[in-house]
Amino acid sequence: MFGELLKVFKEKFGEGGDIRGYFAPGRVNLIGEHTDYNGGHVFPCALTMGNYAVARKRDDDIIRWFNLTYPDNGVIEKNIREFAPEDNGLWYDYQEGVVWAFMQNGFHVPHGYDMVMKSDMPAGSGLSASASIEELAAVIIKDLFDIDMTMVDCARMGQYSENEYNGMNCGIMDQFASAMGKKDNAIFLDTSNLQYEYVPLNFTDEKIIITNSKVKHKLAGSAYNDRRRESEEALSDLKKVCDIKTLGDLDNETFRKYEDEISDPVCRKRAKHAVSENQRTIKAVECLRNSDLIAFGHLMNESHVSLRDDYEVSCPELDVLAEEAWKLPYVLGSRMTGGGFGGCTVSIVKSENTSDFCDVIAREYKKRTGLDCEFYIADPGDGAGRRQIND
Ligand code: GLA
């Protein structure tokens, strides 16, 4: 990958200087969905798929960026002091947002830079290609200009930019996973205080398989912001009777005791998911630590049902993928992953049955939806950072 990027970089922007390589991964969330803006826990891992770049700093305020994944956009050339929030859903909006976020948050960005990038992950599939682009920008700026900040700060800048520049009110899970990932581990993150632990995914006989439904329903962005608002409304009703800061502060029993205080039945369902999903996530990590993958898988299945029925962020295509997976004896668990309304499911499958899994799911998915799906074996990888260029 870097060989190709370097060649194009030299053609477009010339040889010489200190050209550096970077990578930022996408992520898959194993459990803990729609909990990250509700003060709950999440359990994602970084993937080995993501966005790659080579970059070289400049001594003026200009950026020149080229993305080999979207060559038709040509070279984007702008002045970093003129960036202002806007979102056309294009890759460079995410990059611009991060440069802008650094400056808004007091990190001095002294100059612009030239950059060529390329992705090896599917976009718009719920595997956080956008967070990967954001974290790529964050590590490039941090490293090129030697900015004194942590990788957690990089995650924060990614979330800040997506919220304030791109108008998507996301939590911090995706950026955190991309910035902080660790090979062969998932991250158990408490989003109420950003405390985290790495948990080894030392499966001996199982693989994590991602199935891409290849659909993305239009309402995803607006429905996401609606869910956030509904959760907040539920929280504000509950705060009248319980001393809590977030829905993540409640266990299932306490929630049941007070749920009738939530006046709107839709908001009550949303809160039920946020509370139960957080409890499931805590339990699932405990199961994994005890090597009880069967119990872990059951919790994944319950997570899907809760996302489908209470949070209502699944869609027929994701339900078909999960239901068909549940029928197979060698699947330990399967659920939608990410924001929902399309994108992917994640399944834990016995290693010896992975090719059968792909055959059966592809066939049944086609039969029931008329669509083709795509599979990736998830290989939990390291987080964003500088990478060696071996040209
Ligand atoms: C999207 C958001 C995340 C998180 C998930 C749902 O991926 O970007 O912050 O809320 O949806 O768990």
Side-chain angles (χ1 to χ4, degrees):
M1 180 68 88
F2 283 122
E4 183 190 6
L5 291 176
L6 204 53
K7 182 169 165 280
V8 175
F9 185 96
K10 287 176 181 168
E11 278 163 23
K12 300 235 171 251
F13 305 132
E15 311 236 353
D18 184 8
I19 306 170
R20 299 179 180 180
Y22 302 92
F23 171 72
R27 64 98 188 90
V28 65
N29 189 22
L30 298 177
I31 193 162
E33 216 67 82
H34 288 278
T35 48
D36 65 344
Y37 50 86
N38 281 315
H41 293 75
V42 292
F43 194 49
C45 58
L47 297 169
T48 47
M49 302 188 274
N51 277 277
Y52 293 77
V54 293
R56 180 179 59 202
K57 66 181 165 191
R58 300 174 57 93
D59 50 17
D60 57 17
D61 289 342
I62 303 299
I63 55 94
R64 288 187 299 176
W65 295 338
F66 183 68
N67 191 338
L68 276 161
T69 307
Y70 301 99
D72 292 350
N73 290 151
V75 173
I76 308 298
E77 182 165 342
K78 293 189 180 187
N79 185 315
I80 57 170
R81 311 287 162 213
E82 288 164 13
F83 287 164
E86 72 172 317
D87 183 45
N88 308 302
L90 295 166
W91 61 272
Y92 50 86
D93 293 329
Y94 294 104
Q95 290 262 344
E96 286 178 23
V98 173
V99 178
W100 176 85
F102 270 59
M103 300 193 284
Q104 292 290 309
N105 286 278
F107 294 111
H108 178 56
V109 183
H111 301 298
Y113 55 95
D114 293 334
M115 187 237 355
V116 173
M117 64 183 280
K118 188 174 180 180
S119 163
D120 69 351
M121 69 178 295
S125 59
L127 300 177
S128 293
S130 50
S132 147
I133 296 178
E134 289 155 7
E135 292 313 306
L136 185 70
V139 291
I140 291 174
I141 309 164
K142 170 178 165 28
D143 182 73
L144 282 182
F145 302 114
D146 204 14
I147 296 175
D148 182 20
M149 65 194 298
T150 64
M151 287 308 292
V152 174
D153 291 331
C154 286
R156 280 203 191 95
M157 291 306 100
Q159 184 200 15
Y160 181 91
S161 70
E162 189 148 342
N163 292 168
E164 306 298 329
Y165 202 89
N166 310 103
M168 171 72 178
N169 218 357
C170 64
I172 200 167
M173 168 171 73
D174 305 343
Q175 292 79 11
F176 200 95
S178 180
M180 300 295 292
K182 184 173 164 189
K183 190 174 162 44
D184 297 330
N185 283 259
I187 310 169
F188 183 41
L189 169 68
D190 181 346
T191 62
S192 69
N193 53 19
L194 294 192
Q195 291 201 3
Y196 63 95
E197 282 170 64
Y198 291 111
V199 181
L201 295 175
N202 44 5
F203 301 162
T204 42
D205 294 325
E206 296 81 14
K207 295 256 180 283
I208 303 169
I209 302 194
I210 298 169
T211 308
N212 188 350
S213 70
K214 306 283 281 266
V215 297
K216 188 184 180 197
H217 294 290
K218 280 215 185 65
L219 74 177
S222 64
Y224 185 93
N225 290 343
D226 290 346
R227 295 300 178 282
R228 238 192 126 140
R229 197 180 27 74
E230 289 157 357
S231 300
E232 275 155 19
E233 196 177 316
L235 175 65
S236 92
D237 283 350
L238 286 170
K239 274 184 166 168
K240 292 177 196 148
V241 289
C242 343
D243 182 22
I244 51 169
K245 287 201 180 64
T246 68
L247 293 175
D249 291 337
L250 289 173
D251 58 25
N252 292 324
E253 204 189 324
T254 318
F255 176 72
R256 273 193 296 272
K257 196 162 142 201
Y258 294 115
E259 64 179 321
D260 290 339
E261 301 295 332
I262 305 169
S263 49
D264 182 312
V266 171
C267 297
R268 201 178 307 140
K269 285 211 291 187
R270 307 299 189 241
K272 182 179 167 215
H273 167 78
V275 171
S276 66
E277 181 75 354
N278 183 41
Q279 296 301 315
R280 269 190 293 278
T281 306
I282 296 168
K283 217 158 126 190
V285 171
E286 203 182 300
C287 294
L288 197 61
R289 288 197 166 119
N290 296 331
S291 304
D292 187 352
L293 269 184
I294 301 215
F296 185 88
H298 285 153
L299 290 162
M300 289 176 77
N301 298 349
E302 283 174 24
S303 163
H304 184 87
V305 171
S306 177
L307 288 156
R308 183 190 67 193
D309 298 346
D310 289 333
Y311 220 64
E312 296 179 280
V313 291
S314 187
C315 62
E317 295 84 357
L318 291 173
D319 290 342
V320 167
L321 289 177
E323 282 162 22
E324 293 302 328
W326 296 339
K327 290 181 190 164
L328 302 171
Y330 50 77
V331 173
L332 286 85
S334 184
R335 57 180 288 275
M336 55 155 277
T337 182
F341 303 103
C344 296
T345 60
V346 58
S347 310
I348 313 279
V349 182
K350 286 278 170 206
S351 306
E352 63 199 38
N353 302 105
T354 52
S355 79
D356 191 59
F357 173 85
C358 299
D359 291 348
V360 174
I361 298 294
R363 189 183 65 226
E364 297 305 314
Y365 187 62
K366 180 92 181 176
K367 214 191 278 169
R368 290 180 63 183
T369 65
L371 300 168
D372 292 312
C373 55
E374 216 168 80
F375 301 92
Y376 324 102
I377 298 208
D379 189 9
D382 283 326
R386 189 155 164 200
R387 298 288 191 270
Q388 198 61 42
I389 305 180
N390 299 311
D391 57 324

